Amino acid sequence: MSNFQITPIRYIKGEIELPPDKSIFHRALILSSLAQGKSKIKKIQRGEDCLSTLNNLKLMGVKIEEKKESLLVYGEGLRSLKEPPDILNCGNSATTMRLLAGVIAGQGFYSVLSGDEYLKKRPMKRITEPLRKMGAKVFGREDGQFPPLTLAGGRLRGIHYSSPIPSAQVKSCILLAGLFAEGDTSVTEPLQSRDHTERMLRYLGGDLEIDNLKVTVKEGSVLEGKKIFVPGDISGAAFFIAGAVILGGSELKIINVGLNPTRRGFLDILIRMGAEIEIISQKTKCEEEVGNLLIKGGSELEGIVIEKEIIPQLIDEIPVLAVVACFAQGETVIRGAKELRFKETDRIKAIVEGLRKMGANIEEKEDGMVIRGGKKLKGGECQSYGDHRIAMALTIAALGAKKKSKIIDVECINTSFPEFREILKNISV
Ligand code: S3P
């Protein structure tokens, strides 16, 4: 197990470009595999999670070639996947498991989806239940609650599903299964979750209808291979943005980063807290907003109340947002974020424990946390609990602490962002 020993730094300075967005990259791989014709995905996401998706697609017969800085995917249409000769290993990645389950439900062959010790504890009823309603034969431990999942075909029919939770993975699973169903398939969410599946489907020619929080995929959509550009990962950028915001004297430029409105809640909240963040250019490429950011450190940050409505737009950034809140004056309250308890680890528990060990005044709540900031962190020894976002968030907290810190078990960072340490080293002063 490897650890980080972290010495505090003075500030962050430089210009960076992030690897492709993990969430969009999964969609790019899956949908180009289901498209007719060649797709070229420019730049490669090298995190283990996306590699799990890639390897599983290969195991189902998709031809994918790696070129210098791009992937060529030779899609042969919706029903071209083949029965895999082995278990589909999803590693740590719930996105891989939940999205592929939707695709495989419509394929009419037998397969088993499994993963690591963390993934095997993640809730799957949220997808097995609607898939069963569509007619899929899908099984899992404890009546479809936990992986491994087994799928054994079944003719799918379109349903209308009203999801009890705002979850892009659930929504995407059902929409992907909908590509294979008789009749239209729609999902309504209680709050808007990230919409990358909808955008990528539309970009590749899928027939979709969006009416506020209801998304419908029409029967008989056909996808067409294309050139795909995936913007830089805003969730990865969030760690460096947080570092720049809390350290006076910082100046960080981030180029070509994704600015999809369903993903940029973190930026909006930081700006409301008083951070100096400027969007210096923005355009739309392959249906996704992308732009450059300029972040300057040292402005007075103020605590804020973050309510459930915006949570899906910053769900993965909450651990690092809690770090920023430690450096803000007054109280920050995060509510309506119980979903964090079902991530790679219980992220509410893990970040509260980690930051408290570093000296923060932070209180755990059932659906969030309360942080009383303004007192410099002293630093300390804390655990990632095998969760990449906890490991990276605590690393950023340690940069702004008084003394050295140790973060235990940081290998998990490779699941999403193997370049994290190198980039951080290059911009640390
Ligand atoms: C993701 C959706 C979110 C997010 C996860 C990636 C996706 O999960 O936390 O990191 O790519 O669809 P939920 O759908 O469980 O909210």
Side-chain angles (χ1 to χ4, degrees):
M1 199 188 290
S2 56
N3 308 321
F4 279 167
Q5 307 278 354
I6 299 161
T7 306
I9 61 169
R10 285 190 293 147
Y11 52 84
I12 279 179
K13 201 166 194 67
E15 178 176 313
I16 55 173
E17 182 167 5
L18 276 291
D21 185 274
K22 176 162 87 95
S23 211
I24 303 177
F25 207 83
H26 283 292
R27 273 98 177 149
L29 286 169
I30 294 172
L31 290 173
S32 60
S33 297
L34 299 176
Q36 196 67 55
K38 184 171 90 176
S39 292
K40 180 176 183 180
I41 310 176
K42 284 188 245 158
K43 295 224 173 133
I44 305 177
Q45 222 291 350
R46 297 189 186 278
E48 290 162 3
D49 285 2
C50 285
L51 281 181
S52 295
T53 294
L54 186 143
N55 289 334
N56 287 333
L57 289 164
K58 280 186 171 169
L59 216 52
M60 290 186 283
V62 183
K63 187 176 157 207
I64 305 178
E65 267 173 24
E66 183 173 336
K67 295 285 170 198
K68 213 166 135 225
E69 268 311 314
S70 61
L71 287 179
L72 297 181
V73 182
Y74 296 87
E76 289 187 10
L78 281 178
R79 295 185 193 270
S80 63
L81 300 187
K82 313 250 173 349
E83 184 170 270
D86 206 343
I87 285 179
L88 298 170
N89 183 359
C90 304
N92 189 247
S93 174
T95 309
T96 305
M97 183 170 281
R98 293 185 178 133
L99 269 55
L100 285 185
V103 171
I104 295 170
Q107 297 291 326
F109 53 62
Y110 165 83
S111 64
V112 179
L113 291 152
S114 195
D116 71 8
E117 56 175 307
Y118 301 95
L119 186 56
K120 278 189 275 205
K121 292 187 197 133
R122 308 278 301 271
M124 292 297 152
K125 196 94 187 188
R126 51 182 65 193
I127 59 156
T128 55
E129 210 167 70
L131 287 177
R132 280 176 183 168
K133 284 194 176 135
M134 293 179 81
K137 291 192 194 109
V138 51
F139 312 92
R141 285 187 301 120
E142 297 185 30
D143 192 25
Q145 183 64 257
F146 298 109
L149 299 181
T150 302
L151 289 112
R155 264 176 83 128
L156 301 188
R157 52 186 173 269
I159 55 166
H160 173 68
Y161 189 65
S162 202
S163 177
I165 41 167
S167 159
Q169 292 178 358
V170 171
K171 174 175 62 178
S172 303
C173 170
I174 300 165
L175 293 177
L176 289 169
L179 291 171
F180 305 92
E182 256 171 53
D184 299 346
T185 301
S186 57
V187 184
T188 303
E189 299 190 278
L191 294 166
Q192 174 75 58
S193 69
R194 63 187 68 188
D195 61 356
H196 303 306
T197 301
E198 295 90 304
R199 287 171 185 243
M200 187 68 71
L201 269 171
R202 186 175 273 161
Y203 177 64
L204 298 180
D207 194 359
L208 272 193
E209 243 175 49
I210 299 176
D211 177 13
N212 200 11
L213 295 172
K214 180 177 174 192
V215 187
T216 306
V217 59
K218 300 289 207 175
E219 180 178 1
S221 275
V222 179
L223 308 178
E224 187 197 333
K226 276 194 178 172
K227 277 194 182 154
I228 304 176
F229 163 85
V230 180
D233 197 319
I234 178 90
S235 296
F239 299 104
F240 309 122
I241 296 172
V245 159
I246 62 176
L247 297 169
S250 295
E251 195 167 321
L252 179 65
K253 188 171 173 193
I254 306 184
I255 60 169
N256 292 329
V257 69
L259 293 172
N260 177 321
T262 64
R263 286 288 296 286
R264 45 166 284 176
F266 178 67
L267 294 181
D268 300 333
I269 290 290
L270 288 188
I271 292 168
R272 274 171 55 198
M273 290 174 86
E276 205 181 324
I277 300 175
E278 200 189 334
I279 298 175
I280 43 181
S281 77
Q282 187 175 318
K283 57 187 175 229
T284 301
K285 264 174 126 173
C286 301
E287 299 274 338
E288 290 280 350
E289 288 88 349
V290 51
N292 299 344
L293 296 176
L294 184 63
I295 304 107
K296 289 189 179 155
S299 31
E300 273 280 295
L301 300 173
E302 294 224 7
I304 193 175
V305 178
I306 300 164
E307 301 282 6
K308 72 167 197 282
E309 285 70 24
I310 197 171
I311 295 292
Q313 290 160 38
L314 45 77
I315 185 77
D316 291 340
E317 287 67 71
I318 293 176
V320 76
L321 187 61
V323 171
V324 175
C326 294
F327 292 81
Q329 293 300 323
E331 202 171 83
T332 294
V333 181
I334 302 174
R335 291 195 193 115
K338 196 162 174 204
E339 269 295 304
L340 284 180
R341 296 201 183 271
F342 308 108
K343 297 293 176 190
E344 284 80 334
T345 188
D346 176 341
R347 285 187 176 158
I348 297 184
K349 194 160 167 272
I351 197 68
V352 167
E353 183 196 291
L355 288 174
R356 192 174 283 151
K357 286 200 168 149
M358 287 201 182
N361 180 344
I362 180 166
E363 194 186 327
E364 179 174 346
K365 299 279 181 194
E366 182 52 24
D367 67 343
M369 61 199 88
V370 177
I371 304 122
R372 294 176 191 90
K375 195 178 90 190
K376 194 146 168 116
L377 297 181
K378 58 180 171 33
E381 183 173 313
C382 26
Q383 279 282 348
S384 73
Y385 289 102
D387 184 312
H388 55 128
R389 298 208 193 275
I390 298 295
M392 291 187 276
L394 291 173
T395 300
I396 299 301
L399 297 179
K402 278 193 222 154
K403 296 191 187 139
K404 286 189 181 171
S405 297
K406 183 173 174 185
I407 319 293
I408 297 167
D409 189 8
V410 293
E411 257 146 56
C412 50
I413 292 174
N414 291 333
T415 60
S416 66
F417 196 0
E419 306 84 349
F420 172 73
R421 196 175 190 181
E422 186 64 25
I423 297 179
L424 185 58
K425 207 173 92 196
N426 291 340
I427 55 174
S428 293
V429 181

